[in-house]
Structures are given as structure tokens and as C-alpha cells.
């Protein structure tokens, strides 16, 4: 942790605000961060999640999606809800990021999956929350908080989310209606 706070964080903060992949200082910093993460994993320690997040943010800012994808496929970074959330937020700019986020969530299990859906709802990313519910088949996830968040986003989003839950109910229960205990 000390290396991150004393070396990498100040170096990252000293980089120019505009992300330029040709900047030598940026390239050297990214190489040093990557090498440090690889050395941690090679030594049998888990990679520092703070450093991993910092590295992902720098790579995403400059659009280095190939290097970002390489780090994710090599599973250098430890699985966590913040990593999955970051990947879902990156999805509009880098489509495979959503799939990587789903993979992380599958490895983390049900409590993390529900925590991510709650976080997405808190950030008003209701459609991403519905995609997580659908792709991970979280059939028991209560529709009420999702519908409440959708209502705050407007009628189009609410209609889409309501239809999503009607289809979910029809495919799971054989009836589109909501169960009485769902209070919808």
C-alpha cells in the first residue's frame, strides 16, 4: 500500500489532464504499474485493488482498450464489486467491458451481484441494473426498488423496466402478473 500512496498516486496525479497515449511519462507510469501488479501476482500475493483501479482508469481515459482487455483476461486484478461497477460504467465506450463485469460478478456470487444492482440503482443506471438482473438470472431480485428508480428517470425508462419485469414474470412463473409479496 505504501508504494501506491508514495509512488504511484503522486505520479498519476502529476500527469497532464489530457490523456495522451503518446506521452512518455504516462507510458512509463503505466508500464511500471503493470509490472508491479504482475510482480505481486507472481510472488503469490494478491494484486493491490487500489493500484488496479488506478491503472484501469488511466487506460480507459486514454482509450487503451486492448491493454485493458489483456489485464482483465489475465485476471491480474482481484475480483470486486467496485471493479465490476467500473466495468459496467466503461461499457458505453468499450462494449466488452460489460461482459467482463458480468464475469467478475459470476465469480463473486449472489451477495456481490445484488450489491452491484443496488449500486447501479443508486447511480440511476436502471437499464444497466436490468441487464445485470437478466444476464445473471437474479430471478428473486425484488422489482419494487428497480421500478421506483425507473420512475425517477422518466416515463420511457419506467415503461421499459415495467415491461422487463412483466416478461421476467411470464418466463419464470408462467404469468406476467406480480406476486402479492412484491407489492407492485
Amino acid at each position: 500500500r505504501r508504494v501506491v500512496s508514495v509512488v504511484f498516486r503522486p505520479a498519476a496525479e502529476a500527469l497532464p489532464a489530457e490523456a495522451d497515449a503518446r506521452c512518455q511519462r504516462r507510458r512509463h507510469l503505466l508500464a511500471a504499474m503493470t509490472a508491479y501488479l504482475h510482480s505481486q501476482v507472481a510472488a503469490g500475493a494478491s494484486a493491490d485493488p487500489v493500484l488496479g483501479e488506478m491503472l484501469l482508469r488511466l487506460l480507459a481515459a486514454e482509450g487503451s482498450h486492448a491493454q485493458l482487455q489483456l489485464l482483465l483476461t489475465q485476471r491480474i486484478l482481484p475480483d470486486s464489486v467496485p471493479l465490476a461497477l467500473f466495468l459496467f460504467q466503461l461499457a458505453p465506450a468499450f462494449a466488452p467491458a460489460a461482459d467482463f463485469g458480468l464475469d467478475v460478478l459470476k465469480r463473486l456470487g449472489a451477495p456481490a451481484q445484488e450489491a452491484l444492482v443496488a449500486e447501479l440503482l443508486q447511480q440511476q443506471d436502471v437499464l444497466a441494473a436490468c441487464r445485470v438482473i437478466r444476464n445473471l438470472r437474479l430471478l428473486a431480485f425484488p422489482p419494487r426498488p428497480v421500478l421506483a428508480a425507473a420512475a425517477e428517470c422518466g416515463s420511457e425508462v419506467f415503461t421499459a423496466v415495467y415491461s422487463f419485469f412483466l416478461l421476467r414474470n411470464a418466463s419464470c412463473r408462467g404469468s406476467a402478473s406480480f406476486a402479492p409479496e412484491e407489492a407492485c
Side-chain angles (χ1 to χ4, degrees):
R1 286 258 177 202
R2 186 156 169 75
V3 172
V4 174
S5 62
V6 173
V7 177
F8 291 121
R9 186 177 310 279
E13 290 170 355
L15 290 174
E18 184 178 321
D20 181 12
R22 295 172 292 161
C23 174
Q24 285 295 102
R25 285 182 25 207
R26 177 179 283 277
R27 288 175 51 199
H28 288 296
L29 178 61
L30 290 172
M33 293 170 109
T34 304
Y36 186 73
L37 284 172
H38 278 287
S39 70
Q40 283 183 316
V41 172
S46 63
D48 187 326
V50 173
L51 179 63
E53 181 181 340
M54 202 181 326
L55 178 60
L56 287 179
R57 289 193 186 284
L58 287 171
L59 290 171
E62 70 180 32
S64 295
H65 296 140
Q67 191 173 0
L68 192 143
Q69 186 169 355
L70 184 64
L71 280 174
L72 293 169
T73 55
Q74 291 177 345
R75 295 191 50 200
I76 298 295
L77 305 172
D79 292 338
S80 66
V81 172
L83 173 62
L85 181 62
F86 174 74
L87 292 170
F88 277 105
Q89 292 170 340
L90 186 60
F94 178 55
D99 292 332
F100 285 117
L102 287 172
D103 292 342
V104 168
L105 285 176
K106 286 177 186 172
R107 290 190 295 269
L108 287 173
Q113 295 165 357
E114 292 176 5
L116 177 69
V117 171
E119 182 65 30
L120 288 169
L121 292 175
Q122 185 177 346
Q123 294 183 5
Q124 297 296 313
D125 200 350
V126 180
L127 297 179
C130 288
R131 282 191 297 274
V132 170
I133 291 169
R134 181 192 67 221
N135 291 339
L136 296 178
R137 302 200 44 83
L138 301 176
L139 303 177
F141 196 86
R144 189 172 179 87
V146 183
L147 290 168
E152 294 175 16
C153 293
S155 63
E156 290 180 9
V157 174
F158 180 81
T159 303
V161 171
Y162 185 75
S163 298
F164 164 77
F165 279 109
L166 290 178
L167 290 172
R168 182 196 76 165
N169 292 345
S171 67
C172 297
R173 301 183 192 137
S175 170
S177 61
F178 290 95
E181 62 270 8
E182 292 174 331
C184 291

